[in-house]
């Protein structure tokens, strides 16, 4: 019966050693401040901060155009912002893939 099978599995689990109570320790890194980590990450993948800067610049310019009443330019800048965000995201994924590929070798 199903209850008998469940009991057998439970007894088999109880017969083995107990699972560890603590998870495996996380890797430790030397103390690294925000500026050090930012510079290291920027050196690893320089396109991500560049893309973020480009995205923010286009966004700010689009908002300024919107405030001035230039709706055509504002719409163009919002579309450019979406493209810049997409490029930044692609750079982020590319950097992650490169790091994963590098760690496998």
């Amino acid at each position: 019966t199903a209850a008998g099978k469940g009991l057998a599995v439970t007894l088999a689990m109880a017969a083995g050693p107990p699972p560890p109570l603590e998870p495996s320790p996380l890797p430790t890194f030397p103390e690294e401040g925000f500026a050090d980590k930012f510079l290291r990450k920027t050196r690893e993948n320089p396109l991500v901060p560049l893309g973020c800067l480009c995205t923010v610049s286009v966004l700010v310019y689009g908002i300024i155009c919107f405030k001035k009443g230039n709706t055509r330019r504002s719409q163009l800048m919002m579309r450019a912002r979406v493209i810049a965000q997409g490029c930044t995201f692609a750079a982020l994924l590319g950097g992650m893939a490169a790091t994963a590929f590098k760690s496998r070798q």
Side-chain angles (χ1 to χ4, degrees):
T1 67
K5 287 181 184 178
L7 181 62
V9 169
T10 305
L11 290 175
M13 288 173 48
L21 296 176
E22 295 181 23
S24 58
L26 296 173
T28 57
F29 298 101
E31 283 300 316
E32 185 177 42
F34 175 78
D36 296 330
K37 185 174 183 178
F38 181 78
L39 289 174
R40 179 175 55 85
K41 294 286 188 180
T42 300
R43 276 188 230 107
E44 288 175 7
N45 194 358
L47 293 178
V48 173
L50 186 65
C52 290
L53 184 64
C54 182
T55 302
V56 169
S57 301
V58 171
L59 175 66
V60 169
Y61 184 63
I63 290 172
I64 290 171
C65 290
F66 181 76
K67 287 268 189 186
K68 288 183 178 179
N70 190 349
T71 55
R72 184 167 172 82
R73 175 74 47 115
S74 175
Q75 283 294 316
L76 182 66
M77 289 299 108
M78 290 304 113
R79 291 179 184 139
R81 177 193 55 85
V82 171
I83 292 169
Q85 276 182 297
C87 292
T88 303
F89 187 69
L92 181 68
L93 286 179
M96 287 172 54
T99 302
F101 182 72
K102 205 183 303 182
S103 68
R104 282 189 173 192
Q105 291 181 347

